[in-house]
Amino acid sequence: MSSTPPIYLQPYLNATKKYGAGFGSLLWASPKTQAVRFAALLRAVDCMGKVVLDAGCGRADLLEFMLGRAVYPMRYLGLEAVETLAVAAEKKRLPNGRIIRGDFVSDPQQLEVDADVIFFCGSLNTLDDGAFYQSIAHAFSAAKDSLVFNFLCSPQLAASSHLTWHEPEALLAFAGKLSDHVRFWDDYLQGDGTVAIRKDSGQL
């Protein structure tokens, strides 16, 4: 049986060899653009008192961001496949947080943790089309309330060979088959988009 890591995880594993658990291993351009994306996610859904799953959580920076803005989920579950990053997240000992080791692409059942809200923040950016759309469908099915994620919506931010971008029109057509309650915005960072898909007609 091969022990070769999946191609979509390899960029993160390569980065941890260079940066350890430092910011560079997250493959974000800068803490500023990371924060802008986090803020866009939190525009989509009220996480107060909710069970939140951060799929591909890295160092659990999203939870730190939430707490810094007085957004307190009832429980935060961080799912991470890269051990170096999972260890860094655990070391933060963030309140109401738990880190789960797992790969949501190869094992979609890892998403089935009874979460109200599932977030993907950057963790879809190294997936090919098939894995990208399958992960969205699995996560929406697993979420009790909402799925919210960002993605590269133009080639502008996807110049590196390990990154993929997706046409917003095709993605929104796919999301519309999952739910009648879909929102999209790309007004916060050129080349990046955020989608929120809800299971009912409540306010996104």
Side-chain angles (χ1 to χ4, degrees), residues 73-143:
M74 181 174 73
R75 190 156 48 114
Y76 169 93
L77 303 171
L79 176 62
E80 181 53 55
V82 178
E83 179 65 14
T84 300
L85 300 178
V87 169
E90 285 181 327
K91 285 182 177 179
K92 291 182 177 180
R93 300 186 181 278
L94 296 169
N96 299 322
R98 181 165 72 91
I99 305 304
I100 304 165
R101 268 78 167 172
D103 178 354
F104 62 80
V105 178
S106 64
D107 185 8
Q109 288 187 338
Q110 294 281 351
L111 298 167
E112 298 172 9
V113 293
D114 209 31
D116 298 300
V117 179
I118 296 180
F119 287 118
F120 291 119
C121 190
S123 50
L124 301 176
N125 290 345
T126 60
L127 304 186
D128 61 25
D129 272 357
F132 176 80
Y133 284 107
Q134 287 173 13
S135 296
I136 291 168
H138 285 307
F140 180 70
S141 177

Side-chain angles (χ1 to χ4, degrees), residues 17-95:
K17 289 179 182 177
K18 182 175 182 179
Y19 301 107
F23 184 83
S25 292
L26 303 176
L27 305 183
W28 293 114
S30 70
K32 180 179 179 179
T33 59
Q34 181 198 49
V36 168
R37 288 180 169 98
F38 285 166
L41 292 180
L42 296 184
R43 284 165 53 184
V45 62
D46 182 5
C47 294
M48 292 288 285
K50 303 281 182 67
V51 178
V52 171
L53 172 64
D54 183 4
C57 69
R59 308 177 308 176
D61 290 357
L62 176 59
L63 179 56
E64 282 191 301
F65 184 89
M66 294 167 70
L67 297 176
R69 283 149 184 77
V71 177
Y72 304 109
M74 181 174 73
R75 190 156 48 114
Y76 169 93
L77 303 171
L79 176 62
E80 181 53 55
V82 178
E83 179 65 14
T84 300
L85 300 178
V87 169
E90 285 181 327
K91 285 182 177 179
K92 291 182 177 180
R93 300 186 181 278
L94 296 169

